[in-house]
Amino acid sequence: MADVYHPDFDCSRMDRNEPGQVLLCSDSDSARSELVLDQAYYALRHQSAAYSLPQLKAELIHDLAPLQACFSPAGVQGESQAQCYQRVVAQVADRYRSRLTGRAHEEATRPIDAHIALQRKLQVLGFLPAAVVPDGVYGEATRRAILRWQEQAGQPSRDGFLGDDDARVLMPDLAVAPAPSEASPSPPERAAPRQAEAGTVGGDGPVASILRQSGTAGAAGPQPSPPSPDSTAPQQEAASPQTEDHETAGGLFSLLSVPFWLLGAVIHMCGAVLAGVWHVLIFILLLPVRLVRLIWSFITWLFSWKGLLLLIVGLIVNGLRSAEKKDDSAQSSEFPSREEE
């Protein structure tokens, strides 16, 4: 089990001018929030159809737009950078988990420490390459390892998701329980800090890459000082409309994404029908070409030595038959003359 959490990128190569990376590498709870969001995002990505992945990436960029306020020079009143980051990321992770069903939901609601332990078990069994750092995020390499293990273990479901049944078979001594709310994660015990494993595979996760692309990790501004007890309530009241605006915008974006999803499904079905029609049309158009090839093959065979030999034999047989018919006609013409005599 992990007790100190690290982001899904190499902190030794972080850009110290980007406060988002500095925060994730210096604050264990913020790194844990990022891993939990990655966990839900990759589960939703594996559950979604291939044609909807660009839309899902665009949706993630939109949902993480409120992080710009967390790292702005003014900051968010009543919250530190870490608190603001963890709040926004937890809201997005909860929204993505609510869209998961079945075994994908079972996997995404499992505690991140259980995910790390299961990844290490797959690594010990030889299904997961040793170069992959067990961080609780199930990327492409981990999905392939899960599929190989499910096939070898004879699991009834072979979909790349680690449901509760799979987790109990893979690690019987692992307590599988739903993950607590990630809005305010409890600080992990740091009695024995876990050292980061060397090397990373797959590059930055979606949160780190979007922080870099969207410019949310710009020039670091002054860290807002903790508010006094007397001013806490007014600051929270002032910040609540901003939170409601972000939630309303996120709900509106999710509502507007439904027509695009339906349009993608229709395009996918029309593409399958058009592909079938195209195959039939190609067969019809190539039919004369195939007929010409068949005739040319026959002509080539006819003028080969086998064809010429067969032609000569046929001419000889035909000549013999013609000679026999002439002899028969000559004999039949003699019979009437003899009778007359």
Side-chain angles (χ1 to χ4, degrees), residues 68-88:
Q68 296 179 358
C70 300
F71 297 102
S72 64
V76 177
Q77 294 181 351
E79 288 183 328
S80 64
Q81 284 187 354
Q83 292 172 343
C84 179
Y85 178 89
Q86 294 171 24
R87 173 180 58 80
V88 174

Side-chain angles (χ1 to χ4, degrees), residues 152-165:
Q152 183 169 331
Q155 292 297 104
S157 299
R158 303 176 185 180
D159 51 4
F161 288 110
L162 269 184
D164 291 343
D165 294 338

